[in-house]
Amino acid sequence: MADDFKKDRNNESEEFRRYREQMHGVEYEDEDKRSPHPLRLAYGIFMILIYIGMGVLCIINFFGAPETGGWILANHVVGVMLIIYGFWRGYRLYAGID
């Protein structure tokens, strides 16, 4: 469905294209190529650092969870998942998917 919309975008009338440029202030075709807003970029980097940092802290048992088998496994699983998610967020930020 999204591909159909992109195909239809090329068949817009000139009047509608001028209206869109007037209302949005940027060329609509370049919308996919714009860089993220600086505040959004800063927040994204901050959250990436939080996720990776929390993952590392969970793995090294910074929060003092009991040293029994189940808690050690839970700390490692949660830590690894947070680190993976932090890298995924970093990729999304870099690729402009987000």
Side-chain angles (χ1 to χ4, degrees):
M1 184 167 190
D3 292 333
D4 295 336
F5 176 73
K6 288 181 180 179
K7 289 177 189 174
D8 292 340
R9 206 167 52 180
N10 295 331
N11 298 328
E12 295 173 344
S13 69
E14 185 61 33
E15 179 182 354
F16 184 69
R17 188 180 309 271
R18 282 194 313 263
Y19 166 76
R20 178 177 284 143
E21 289 175 13
Q22 178 184 4
M23 295 305 289
H24 296 287
V26 295
E27 179 69 28
Y28 187 70
E29 308 301 334
D30 295 335
E31 184 174 302
D32 297 333
K33 300 172 187 162
R34 287 186 294 162
S35 61
H37 191 271
L39 188 58
R40 184 177 181 93
L41 181 64
Y43 180 74
I45 292 171
F46 174 73
M47 288 308 297
I48 290 166
L49 294 175
I50 292 294
Y51 287 126
I52 293 175
M54 288 293 289
V56 169
L57 291 176
C58 281
I59 289 174
I60 65 172
N61 196 16
F62 177 79
F63 303 109
E67 295 290 334
T68 59
W71 285 104
I72 292 173
L73 180 64
N75 273 345
H76 285 87
V77 168
V78 169
V80 168
M81 292 302 293
L82 284 169
I83 291 171
I84 290 171
Y85 185 67
F87 281 116
W88 172 246
R89 291 274 308 240
Y91 168 74
R92 286 177 34 199
L93 184 68
Y94 175 75
I97 297 172
D98 198 19

